[in-house]
Amino acid sequence: MNAFLKQALTGAALLATSACGSQSPADGTQQASGEVMVSTAAIGATRGNYPAPRSPVMLGVHSPDIAGNLGALTAMFPGRRGWVVKETYSTDVRWIGGLLGDLAIAAGQGFTPVVRLDYARDGGNINPQGIAVAGATIPWEGGTSSNGSWGRCLLSPDVSARDGDITTPGGTHKECYLDYIRRVLAAPNNNAVHTWIIGNEMNMKGEALGFPGGTIPYHVYGDVYRSARALIRGTSGHGNDAVFVGGVSPNATDFTADVYTSGKDYLTGILYNLQPVDVDGISIHAYAGGVNNASAGLQTFRTGTTGAGLGYQNTLQWIDALGYSQVPVLLSEWAANVEGSSTESNVASFIGTALADMNAWNGGGSNHDLIGAVWYTWNDVRWPQQSLALYPAVRQAFANNSNTYNAGDPNTGWGACWRQTTSPTRLFPETGRTVRGLFLSTYDSRGGLAVFGYPIVEEDCGVDTRTGRVLWQQWFQRHRLEYHPEQPAGSQVMLGSIGSQLAREKFGINPDDWTPGQSQPASNCSLIGPFAGGGKWVCGPFRDYFNAKGVGVLGYPISKELDFLTKDGRWIRAQWFERSRLERNDAVTPIPIQGGLLGCEASGFVGPGC
């Protein structure tokens, strides 16, 4: 996957201008020609309303000692209360009681509590071996060693019960992490929290201690996120909780050696291993550089402190490029440093400037809203230059601004589709529709009329109802073309999985079942699937057609060959594939197979061509 990401991200363009400015690729490529507004009229809502309690205001604070500093905290929010984020480490069960007790106080004062469930970091967060908490004991490999890390717990003396632990070869650490979440959800005051963040800056070496190779693979994070979300939302009293994807470090490898994969690469990898329908929200991080020059500081906050880094605006745009423009986003870490020529008064002034900028961004018609912006941090000896407790003028800036700026609306703050190139063009008079740019070159190179049929609608934003991804697309009689700007040049147009969609929704076929379901029907059959031994048997002319067109056009088979009743009342032989339904038609030569009119069926379009 790493090789794919390095290719993909050099070929995709990030839009680096403000919401109101003209939009053009920031890296000099010509992959994206602009953006279009996403509206309910264009794509329809595919997500229910945001389920969890949320702050009415933009501002929040990370890691305050709430019980010890309640007066100072409430003074920064003299009107409506904001977000409060506190983290806990999965290697220390001793923190749970104090954490939830603090957040219960915050909730009682009207704040919106968030728990970030970190993996263990290096040093200092290690649970002594055998400590008992609420009558339960977790033994820990290595005892009180300062080298413990996420997943080092031994859940049971029975080795067979420890599958997934780091002590198991090839293990993913998942069960130890989930065990920790169970303890949080069972502790007193757990019902004070209904917003959770799974992990933190997973692309940094310090977060990946104990993992083979010192990295957290994308698929491992995706598996842990899905399992953690299911556990949290399956717990009594937490069925409507919002579980956020952890924020990546916004830096690239040129910023610090501790970043083993750039934030942009890692965000792409984990979102490819998830789907928008699986995700309640995404947390992001963005930091300003020096703010003695307010304009320069604001630009770094928007687009990153290094050329390959991320700010809040280009992170949101990249999330949109990956098809997640309907997913709520929380800026769970942001700050500017009091250091060097950036004085306390500079930072205090910057808070107002940055909040006004985020508010204007949220007001942009095609921008992806932020639902909150949480300052990092309250008081941390590692980050004194960002610690609110040390700077009265910065705290006063909070008090002056906290009630002014509303949080973005997670139910209407959709982002934008990335539009494909618009030339050359070809009008199809048979349907009156035009095909442009990369869609046209794909149409011509992958079989033209015989494979796709005629275009039935103009290109536009649309939603893949199976995954929830929002993408620029165009429907044809037999297929749907989708634009994926994050892919490498030459691979940015894909055929949509409308076969999987229709087969599941209308015919009860499970497109994720890769068992053959039958023995080999005949000698002229091949078992075709995504991995050895998995897939469906494809025989005779169906196999010949698949071999001629390939998985890029058809996807893998998801059914066996079967009898199919057409709309005009004819029984034919057919077979479902991820992107098509192949139908036997003896009038077609040299292979008596053609694709069914799935584009017409899946789009619901009625008109010329359908």
Side-chain angles (χ1 to χ4, degrees):
M1 189 100 184
N2 280 329
F4 150 73
L5 287 170
K6 289 178 181 177
Q7 293 174 342
L9 295 167
T10 55
L14 277 177
L15 304 177
T17 57
S18 69
C20 301
S22 62
Q23 295 168 325
S24 60
D27 62 359
T29 64
Q30 298 181 349
Q31 306 303 326
S33 60
E35 289 187 324
V36 295
M37 181 175 176
V38 175
S39 68
T40 54
I43 62 173
T46 59
R47 301 176 66 88
N49 282 346
Y50 184 79
R54 58 187 176 87
S55 168
V57 301
M58 179 72 76
L59 260 178
V61 180
H62 203 294
S63 299
D65 174 5
I66 297 169
N69 294 277
L70 186 59
L73 182 62
T74 55
M76 293 195 301
F77 295 87
R80 297 170 296 167
R81 309 301 197 199
W83 303 87
V84 173
V85 176
K86 297 201 75 165
E87 76 264 27
T88 182
Y89 294 90
S90 64
T91 47
D92 202 332
V93 293
R94 297 172 299 177
W95 288 16
I96 296 174
L99 168 87
L100 294 177
D102 239 15
L103 291 175
I105 295 171
Q109 292 291 320
F111 290 93
T112 302
V114 181
V115 167
R116 193 177 78 192
L117 294 155
D118 287 13
Y119 318 139
R121 276 195 67 91
D122 46 315
N125 303 304
I126 308 306
N127 189 43
Q129 186 172 10
I131 190 169
V133 177
T137 300
I138 303 180
W140 295 83
E141 181 188 30
T144 58
S145 166
S146 63
N147 294 320
S149 60
W150 184 46
R152 296 293 287 257
C153 62
L154 306 183
L155 295 176
S156 166
D158 178 6
V159 174
S160 66
R162 301 204 302 263
D163 290 343
D165 188 81
I166 187 59
T167 57
T168 303
T172 65
H173 308 63
K174 180 175 73 172
E175 288 307 318
C176 284
Y177 186 68
L178 296 180
D179 183 71
Y180 186 79
I181 296 176
R182 291 186 189 98
R183 294 172 184 277
V184 174
L185 292 169
N189 296 311
N190 72 82
N191 58 358
V193 180
H194 297 286
T195 306
W196 310 83
I197 299 172
I198 304 302
N200 177 60
E201 299 197 338
M202 299 79 69
N203 56 319
M204 297 190 73
K205 295 175 182 176
E207 302 291 337
L209 291 177
F211 282 87
T215 65
I216 304 173
Y218 308 124
H219 72 280
V220 169
Y221 178 83
D223 181 41
V224 170
Y225 172 84
R226 282 187 291 266
S227 298
R229 179 175 181 261
L231 172 59
I232 291 169
R233 298 190 65 169
T235 299
S236 177
H238 294 275
N240 290 320
D241 286 12
V243 183
F244 280 68
V245 171
V248 300
S249 168
N251 299 308
T253 53
D254 62 346
F255 182 80
T256 171
D258 195 35
V259 175
Y260 64 81
T261 301
S262 76
K264 186 177 172 186
D265 283 14
Y266 202 88
L267 181 64
T268 304
I270 59 175
L271 293 187
Y272 253 79
N273 279 275
L274 295 166
Q275 300 287 7
V277 293
D278 301 328
V279 173
D280 300 320
I282 301 169
S283 62
I284 67 173
H285 299 172
Y287 286 89
V291 295
N292 54 308
N293 181 318
S295 177
L298 184 61
Q299 189 59 38
T300 59
F301 182 50
R302 289 172 173 171
T303 61
T305 54
T306 67
L310 293 173
Y312 87 87
Q313 288 188 4
N314 57 2
T315 303
L316 288 166
Q317 290 168 330
W318 193 242
I319 287 170
D320 292 353
L322 296 169
Y324 283 71
S325 63
Q326 291 191 23
V327 177
V329 175
L330 174 67
L331 179 57
S332 59
E333 286 191 18
W334 74 287
N337 292 345
V338 179
E339 62 181 357
S341 56
S342 292
T343 65
E344 182 177 351
S345 62
N346 292 146
V347 173
S349 176
F350 179 74
I351 286 174
T353 300
L355 283 168
D357 194 69
M358 289 184 279
N359 187 62
W361 173 268
N362 281 359
S366 64
N367 293 335
H368 195 150
D369 274 18
L370 287 171
I371 66 169
V374 181
W375 185 273
Y376 189 88
T377 182
W378 174 255
N379 193 12
D380 191 324
V381 295
R382 298 170 300 174
W383 306 105
Q385 66 272 39
Q386 299 166 196
S387 293
L388 290 168
L390 305 180
Y391 302 111
V394 180
R395 296 199 302 275
Q396 185 60 46
F398 265 65
N400 295 342
N401 290 282
S402 61
N403 201 46
T404 302
Y405 297 103
N406 295 330
D409 187 344
N411 300 319
T412 60
W414 296 349
C417 273
W418 281 44
R419 183 175 180 172
Q420 63 118 0
T421 53
T422 56
S423 62
T425 65
R426 183 185 303 157
L427 173 67
F428 288 75
E430 294 84 357
T431 56
R433 305 300 184 184
T434 298
V435 184
R436 299 174 171 84
L438 298 176
F439 287 173
L440 182 58
S441 62
T442 300
Y443 180 91
D444 287 340
S445 66
R446 294 199 173 185
L449 184 64
V451 169
F452 294 93
Y454 292 111
I456 57 175
V457 297
E458 298 295 332
E459 60 185 73
D460 201 351
C461 265
V463 177
D464 181 335
T465 57
R466 192 167 70 97
T467 66
R469 291 183 188 270
V470 179
L471 299 166
W472 192 256
Q473 62 184 30
Q474 186 167 17
W475 290 91
F476 295 76
Q477 289 174 304
R478 295 187 172 94
H479 285 286
R480 180 182 70 221
L481 291 182
E482 302 172 348
Y483 177 55
H484 292 260
E486 77 288 350
Q487 291 285 353
S491 303
Q492 292 175 321
V493 176
M494 298 182 181
L495 281 73
S497 299
I498 57 175
S500 294
Q501 175 187 331
L502 274 178
R504 184 193 296 273
E505 292 177 358
K506 296 188 176 181
F507 298 93
I509 294 171
N510 180 7
D512 301 315
D513 177 12
W514 298 114
T515 58
Q518 62 180 153
S519 57
Q520 184 171 350
S523 60
N524 64 344
C525 300
S526 298
L527 184 64
I528 298 173
F531 52 86
K536 306 296 180 183
W537 292 102
V538 184
C539 305
F542 290 95
R543 184 181 69 175
D544 295 340
Y545 191 89
F546 178 87
N547 289 338
K549 302 304 179 184
V551 70
V553 170
L554 301 175
Y556 290 109
I558 56 175
S559 80
K560 64 181 181 180
E561 188 178 324
L562 42 75
D563 291 321
F564 182 80
L565 181 64
T566 65
K567 290 178 68 175
D568 58 2
R570 295 178 298 112
W571 284 99
I572 60 172
R573 295 297 285 174
Q575 185 165 14
W576 288 90
F577 291 73
E578 290 175 302
R579 299 185 172 104
S580 183
R581 182 183 64 236
L582 296 187
E583 301 174 355
R584 178 147 190 160
N585 183 344
D586 290 327
V588 178
T589 59
I591 304 173
I593 298 292
Q594 67 181 162
L597 299 180
L598 262 63
C600 293
E601 295 175 35
S603 68
F605 175 76
V606 176
C610 293

